[in-house]
Amino acid sequence: MQRPYNFSAGPAAIPAEVLEQAAADMLDWHGCGMGVMEMSHRGKEFISIYEQAESDLRELLAVPEHFKILFMQGGGLAENAIVPMNLSRAATVDFVVTGSWSQNSQKEARKYASEVNVIASGKDSHFTTLPDPAYWQPSRGASYLHICTNETIHGVEFHELPDLKALGVDAPLVIDFSSHVASRPVDWSRVGLAFGGAQKNIGPAGLTIVVVREDLLGHALTICPSAFDYKIVAEHQSMYNTPPTWGIYMAGLTFQWLKRQREGEASGVAAMELRNIAKAQLLYNAIDQSGFYVNKVAANCRSRMNIPFFLHDESRNDAFLAGAKARGLLQLKGHKSVGGMRASLYNAMPLEGVQALVSYMREFEQQHA
Ligand SMILES: *Cc1c(COP(=O)(O)O)cnc(C)c1O
């Protein structure tokens, strides 16, 4: 049976092989007589699942030894508070606002930092461009600088992480990589902390991944809940409280799936990056070559994961969505704050899904142009 292609921005498609494995393990994981959701998080079965997932993620993303990987709860929005509670030292923090998510993040940080400076913004271009790091105006002595490296709603992505050291900035870089984690390699030499919810590109909602440089631990504000204090979470191998065991298990299956992926000489996340570039290029080309659809994001910062696009004639939106659904192309409706359409092309979306979308778009255009 061919499953439909699911273009949801999140929670999003999960590779069928991963879902099949989870279904097979549901009642009895590896002959132990229990499903994963029924296991103690401190039992040897779950500890082995946890350790494998952690080491696979470390390998896939080439996370250096001096970074801790934390499996937490709360999602990206909770991290908007947890990061300043842990890293702000109640002092000044800097934000670059490039769309809805970084906008949310800087608002939340105001509860915890003494001063929040938006040191650059893409607002003047309606978030269709990224402000050039050469013109950012970092605050002196800021505790950290936050960016969202892929704006899920506006469809802008940093294709290269800013090199703060080269800009003369000592503050660690915090990245919200919720919606493109594991879609491409990460240059950890430029990062202090990365966080992301799992439900876009890793697995089910409920798991949040935090990768944090060790020297940033141990500065939490006293109001920070213990379960959200990175140092405490790290000291307990993410088991200070009960971690999201099902999410960790599902993420682990996805990491195994990622490790099996090959694209020419490349494997794992490097293979995904090649595939993601090809998938995004196919859709952007189809949009750009038509007079019927439009994407306004500047070419050098177009997201490979989330591609918003509009019909010039918006009165045809409902017909477009209904026709797509009838062809098994699901969840293409744009975010309510932006409108139009949005195709999310996470790792689990095969090239064939994008080809099916593009051929439907051409057909719809021919019928209605
Ligand atoms: C989805 C998303 C979030 C929010 O995640 P929640 O799990 O809903 O809290 C934060 N940042 C980005 C970039 C996202 O795409």
Side-chain angles (χ1 to χ4, degrees):
M1 190 194 80
Q2 156 94 46
R3 299 185 83 220
Y5 293 114
N6 178 0
F7 295 90
S8 172
I14 292 174
E17 285 171 52
V18 168
L19 294 173
E20 280 157 8
Q21 183 66 49
D25 290 346
M26 184 65 81
L27 299 185
D28 183 4
W29 182 84
H30 293 200
C32 75
M34 301 173 279
V36 174
M37 281 183 274
E38 306 170 296
M39 290 175 181
S40 164
H41 57 297
R42 303 194 190 281
K44 70 173 180 358
E45 293 88 357
F46 186 75
I47 298 281
S48 75
I49 290 171
Y50 166 86
E51 287 177 347
Q52 188 70 48
E54 208 253 39
S55 84
D56 284 344
L57 180 60
R58 194 174 282 281
E59 180 186 330
L60 280 164
L61 291 184
V63 179
E65 280 307 314
H66 63 292
F67 283 77
K68 296 285 188 195
I69 293 177
L70 312 178
F71 292 133
M72 299 179 66
Q73 312 210 29
L77 283 179
E79 288 301 324
N80 284 344
I82 297 169
V83 170
M85 279 196 282
N86 276 276
L87 303 192
S88 74
R89 306 181 196 217
T92 300
V93 295
D94 281 350
F95 282 77
V96 177
V97 172
T98 53
S100 299
W101 287 111
S102 45
Q103 177 65 12
N104 283 340
S105 301
Q106 66 86 17
K107 252 194 221 154
E108 185 74 5
R110 288 174 195 273
K111 295 182 181 174
Y112 307 101
S114 65
E115 200 177 331
V116 171
N117 291 327
V118 174
I119 61 158
S121 169
K123 196 160 181 234
D124 288 346
S125 73
H126 303 281
F127 302 120
T128 59
T129 62
L130 283 176
D132 181 346
Y135 299 99
W136 296 358
Q137 298 183 313
S139 313
R140 195 173 293 206
S143 299
Y144 63 86
L145 192 161
H146 175 121
I147 61 174
C148 175
T149 44
N150 184 66
E151 289 280 1
T152 321
I153 293 174
H154 288 90
V156 281
E157 179 172 8
F158 283 88
H159 291 160
E160 192 190 348
L161 296 179
D163 183 354
L164 296 192
K165 276 183 224 126
L167 297 172
V169 177
D170 288 331
L173 180 70
V174 169
I175 64 171
D176 174 357
F177 67 172
S178 294
S179 53
H180 70 167
V181 53
S183 71
R184 64 180 223 204
V186 176
D187 181 353
W188 294 103
S189 73
R190 297 185 176 184
V191 175
L193 182 146
F195 71 82
Q199 72 271 25
K200 313 285 168 61
N201 214 11
I202 301 276
L207 167 65
T208 313
I209 290 167
V210 176
V211 183
V212 54
R213 222 171 59 204
E214 269 166 358
D215 64 287
L216 299 176
L217 301 175
H219 304 287
L221 306 180
T222 51
I223 56 156
C224 180
S226 304
F228 291 156
D229 180 328
Y230 294 139
K231 182 159 188 271
I232 292 174
V233 177
E235 281 169 355
H236 290 80
Q237 283 76 45
S238 302
M239 302 220 189
Y240 173 74
N241 57 344
T242 309
T245 54
W246 175 254
I248 292 169
Y249 157 76
M250 289 291 288
L253 294 182
T254 303
F255 300 152
Q256 291 277 319
W257 176 83
L258 280 169
K259 285 173 68 173
R260 293 195 296 273
Q261 303 308 302
R262 298 273 179 285
E263 209 55 63
E265 300 280 289
S267 65
V269 166
M272 295 321 301
E273 182 178 40
L274 295 175
R275 225 179 268 174
N276 289 327
I277 289 171
K279 280 151 48 185
Q281 202 58 57
L282 179 62
L283 181 51
Y284 282 119
N285 284 346
I287 294 168
D288 291 345
Q289 285 161 11
S290 88
F292 195 79
Y293 307 101
V294 62
N295 167 289
K296 294 182 185 143
V297 177
N300 67 351
C301 57
R302 282 175 158 184
S303 171
R304 295 167 187 159
M305 295 283 102
N306 310 100
I307 304 184
F309 64 94
F310 300 86
L311 278 61
H312 281 297
D313 178 359
E314 297 238 274
S315 72
R316 304 209 189 269
N317 284 357
D318 289 345
F320 179 87
L321 288 167
K325 193 171 173 200
R327 283 163 184 76
L329 307 170
L330 306 183
Q331 308 209 65
L332 283 161
K333 192 172 176 158
H335 189 271
K336 61 183 186 308
S337 67
V338 176
M341 308 298 152
R342 174 172 53 172
S344 295
L345 313 181
Y346 299 122
N347 288 343
M349 175 60 63
L351 181 64
E352 293 75 23
V354 187
Q355 287 166 338
L357 172 60
V358 164
S359 72
Y360 167 62
M361 287 168 67
R362 295 214 170 101
E363 191 188 312
F364 189 86
E365 176 172 356
Q366 276 158 15
Q367 279 167 6
H368 296 93

